[in-house]
Amino acid sequence: MKDVYILGIESSCDETSCAIVKNGCEEIATVISSQIDIHKTYGGVVPEIASREHVKNITIVIEECLKEANMKMEEMDAIAITYGPGLIGSLLVGLEAAKTLAYIYQKPLIPVHHIAGHIYANSLVKPLEFPLLALVVSGGHTELIKMEDHLSFQKLGGTLDDAIGECYDKVARIIGLAYPGGPKVDALAKKGNPTYPLPTPLQDDSYNFSFSGLKSAAINLNHKLEQRGEKLNLEDFAASFQKVATDSIISKAKKALEQEHLKHFIIAGGVAANQVLREKAEKMCQELKVDLSIPPMKFCTDNAAMIACAGYYAYQKGIRADYHLNSVSSVPLTTGKENASC
Ligand code: KG4
Ligand code: ZN
């Protein structure tokens, strides 16, 4: 069978990225230009700055990717683009670049939901086995998704308030750690013990999560100690927060794997880089005899290889967008353009 090369473009938040993936599973080249250093001064992503940076970087990133792959646009079978969700100004930069390339080189344009991309980062590790459970944990999402086939997404549950990554970033901020705080809290927690009492989030029969109570409790604990003139042990604080947050995620994932009789557990999104979450997932999957995939660190946070992977399956199913395709800041995965179960 002829090999299929998909060029993916991702610009939904603060990473401008272009990648080429062969047959939906083999990375040929990935270029990521991150804006983290620019946004960290402001404690979070500033949308207006992000879109201007994407404009500066997009053509350079695409050219570099083709150069790294030693390939030409003519050799691509299709162009996959993140159309949403994300920051609208940022999304539009990638979308316009993708449409322009599709028009000039007369290539099919494949619309990809950002979260579908995160999920399909796992196909760079090994083929997805259905039915599976995808745990999507990022700065904007905390969701449990069941998939019975490619591009068929059924939401089992999600956060009722803050996303887990957002919660990590806010807790990091109150202890003076720069954006993005997640990796820094993770590193600190490694050196500490979970000695501080923090409440266990939502323990009910649903597959939903809630992290705002945990976030407020962590902030209040910090204030209380400050008022008493006591010094917070940052390592122990990070370890305490991390234990409660990851326990909550793993317990809901376990319930879903058991009750829905699922055989593959995949983790997606920036928080999949978390060391403790990875360890707990490994232990749980061994106990349940369920296969586990977690993308390598590089493919956990935003990147275009994951968009090219999801784009490959959409391409094979005949999903195409025309030049009217628009970016959307908010769109559930379950009603996305590529979802087979809608
Ligand atoms: O998927 P992503 O790159 O962007 C979104 O689509 O949100 O995820 C970024 C999020 C940030 O909140 C960041 O703090 C978090 O992922 N993150 C982590 C770790 N690495 C990144 N959170 C906890 N532990 C980590 N090691
Ligand atoms: Zn993301």
Side-chain angles (χ1 to χ4, degrees):
M1 228 168 44
K2 182 192 167 296
D3 289 327
V4 174
Y5 291 92
I6 306 283
L7 181 123
I9 296 177
E10 154 67 36
S11 69
S12 66
C13 189
D14 58 345
E15 261 96 29
T16 323
S17 181
C18 180
I20 297 169
V21 170
K22 181 175 156 186
N23 299 332
C25 62
E26 192 185 320
E27 180 206 16
I28 302 296
T30 305
V31 175
I32 305 172
S33 167
S34 174
Q35 306 172 9
I36 283 183
D37 285 342
I38 298 166
H39 297 288
K40 108 176 149 196
T41 329
Y42 307 96
V45 178
V46 183
E48 185 54 38
I49 297 178
S51 35
R52 272 189 257 143
E53 287 301 310
H54 285 304
V55 172
K56 275 195 229 161
N57 296 331
I58 190 80
T59 44
I60 301 169
V61 163
I62 296 169
E63 275 169 10
E64 258 184 46
C65 178
L66 287 162
K67 202 166 138 199
E68 200 181 303
N70 198 17
M71 293 185 84
K72 293 194 172 68
M73 265 316 293
E74 287 82 351
E75 293 171 81
M76 298 301 123
D77 290 280
I79 298 163
I81 176 68
T82 311
Y83 67 91
L87 302 171
I88 197 75
S90 293
L91 287 162
L92 280 168
V93 178
L95 180 68
E96 289 310 315
K99 278 189 197 174
T100 308
L101 288 174
Y103 178 72
I104 294 174
Y105 293 95
Q106 288 297 295
K107 302 286 176 189
L109 185 65
I110 317 293
V112 175
H113 190 288
H114 181 73
I115 298 303
H118 274 302
I119 290 174
Y120 274 86
N122 281 284
S123 58
L124 292 162
V125 184
K126 63 174 170 185
L128 307 186
E129 294 164 62
F130 304 107
L132 65 74
L133 180 70
L135 167 69
V136 182
V137 275
S138 73
H141 296 266
T142 313
E143 284 172 25
L144 284 171
I145 310 279
K146 179 177 168 182
M147 289 175 71
E148 287 183 338
D149 201 352
H150 279 298
L151 302 173
S152 161
F153 307 107
Q154 185 194 337
K155 183 172 169 180
L156 298 180
T159 183
L160 302 176
D161 38 58
D162 293 353
I164 179 71
E166 185 187 354
C167 192
Y168 260 97
D169 293 339
K170 283 188 185 153
V171 166
R173 200 165 158 180
I174 59 154
I175 55 170
L177 302 175
Y179 173 85
K184 297 176 188 92
V185 171
D186 192 12
L188 269 181
K190 248 180 237 149
K191 298 185 224 147
N193 293 306
T195 51
Y196 289 107
L198 288 169
T200 306
L202 199 67
Q203 276 183 303
D204 62 0
D205 282 343
S206 76
Y207 296 125
N208 290 328
F209 304 96
S210 167
F211 293 108
S212 69
L214 173 61
K215 178 190 70 189
S216 306
I219 294 171
N220 291 343
L221 174 71
N222 184 39
H223 284 167
K224 244 190 252 162
L225 292 179
E226 258 176 14
Q227 277 167 355
R228 284 199 232 134
E230 286 176 38
K231 206 170 154 359
L232 186 75
N233 179 314
L234 292 185
E235 285 90 358
D236 288 351
F237 178 72
S240 307
F241 167 77
Q242 175 134 290
K243 179 179 183 325
V244 175
T246 53
D247 276 351
S248 157
I249 290 176
I250 290 295
S251 82
K252 291 284 170 113
K254 186 172 184 207
K255 193 203 301 234
L257 285 166
E258 285 179 323
Q259 291 183 353
E260 302 283 326
H261 310 290
L262 306 171
K263 54 179 184 183
H264 192 181
F265 182 44
I266 65 178
I267 312 187
V271 185
N274 188 275
Q275 207 52 48
V276 170
L277 186 65
R278 287 174 172 248
E279 286 161 13
K280 286 182 182 169
E282 269 164 31
K283 193 162 165 269
M284 172 186 69
C285 287
Q286 267 169 14
E287 271 170 32
L288 298 180
K289 298 196 175 27
V290 163
D291 261 358
L292 171 69
S293 315
I294 311 175
M297 298 288 185
K298 173 182 171 189
F299 298 126
C300 284
T301 45
D302 291 350
N303 66 86
M306 66 186 199
I307 302 303
C309 288
Y312 168 81
Y313 289 95
Y315 173 78
Q316 297 293 30
K317 280 180 66 176
I319 295 170
R320 306 285 184 269
D322 62 20
Y323 300 128
H324 294 101
L325 177 68
N326 211 346
S327 301
V328 271
S329 57
S330 169
V331 53
L333 176 59
T334 43
T335 57
K337 292 185 189 302
E338 62 280 76
N339 187 11
S341 47
C342 310

